[in-house]
Amino acid sequence: MAKRSAGILLFRRDPLEVLLVHPGGPFWAKKDLGAWSIPKGEHEEGEDAMACAIREFGEETGSQPSPGELTDLGTVKQKAGKVVQAWALEGDLDAGQVVSNTFSMQWPPRSGKFQDFPEVDRAEWFPLDVAAERINPAQAAFLERLRNRFGS
């Protein structure tokens, strides 16, 4: 069965912009175009996807999402097969203050040494056209669905 993730696409209007996060760790350090994502995380079969999206937003940004109505943006299937479900939420967040949780991995490879890295090393607000270049290609569908629902 494919892995499942859920996340929140935070947006603000006038002009329409979205908050994207860049994955942390050495693999992603020099990658930009196509590497960014909505704040999201994996959940188990049967776990409430919306609750997961809210939890993962907090873990990856260090802030709880703004209060407001979550708008379902449906799902996409990423290249490796992971299914991502997203909700849009209007709100604001200081991208420069994002502090993510961390993960541990062996680095350098086969060194026997483990290091901690942030799940997200930075966040940034992007206009939709720029976001479309930066976001994981499969997740670009969320941007189009957002544009269709909230205009601009």
Side-chain angles (χ1 to χ4, degrees):
M1 174 161 269
K3 291 185 177 182
R4 303 186 67 79
S5 283
I8 293 176
L9 179 58
L10 192 66
F11 72 96
R12 58 189 184 192
R13 300 183 205 225
D14 301 323
L16 191 57
E17 295 179 308
V18 295
L19 180 79
L20 299 180
V21 296
H22 186 270
F27 177 78
W28 297 103
K30 295 186 185 330
K31 293 178 174 43
D32 188 56
L33 299 181
W36 294 72
S37 175
I38 66 171
K40 63 172 181 45
E42 289 185 15
H43 63 89
E44 299 298 323
E45 186 69 32
E47 181 183 358
D48 181 69
M50 185 183 290
C52 171
I54 293 167
R55 178 190 71 234
E56 290 295 328
F57 186 92
E59 288 180 5
E60 293 197 350
T61 66
S63 300
Q64 288 306 304
S66 308
E69 182 178 339
L70 292 169
T71 302
D72 190 0
L73 295 177
T75 62
V76 298
K77 188 172 188 176
Q78 296 186 162
K79 188 176 181 180
K82 181 184 284 184
V83 175
V84 179
Q85 184 169 1
W87 286 267
L89 176 65
E90 188 170 3
D92 203 2
L93 179 76
D94 183 346
Q97 298 300 312
V98 164
V99 178
S100 173
N101 58 341
T102 60
F103 67 94
S104 183
M105 68 178 280
Q106 190 174 170
W107 190 258
R110 297 177 293 284
S111 67
K113 297 177 183 177
F114 283 79
Q115 293 186 40
D116 289 338
F117 297 97
E119 277 194 45
V120 166
D121 61 15
R122 63 190 182 276
E124 195 169 328
W125 286 97
F126 295 105
L128 289 184
D129 58 335
V130 177
E133 296 172 356
R134 300 281 178 88
I135 199 166
N136 175 299
Q139 293 180 35
F142 295 140
L143 303 177
E144 193 57 35
R145 294 171 192 169
L146 180 77
R147 183 190 315 272
N148 290 340
R149 290 242 173 101
F150 298 99
S152 185

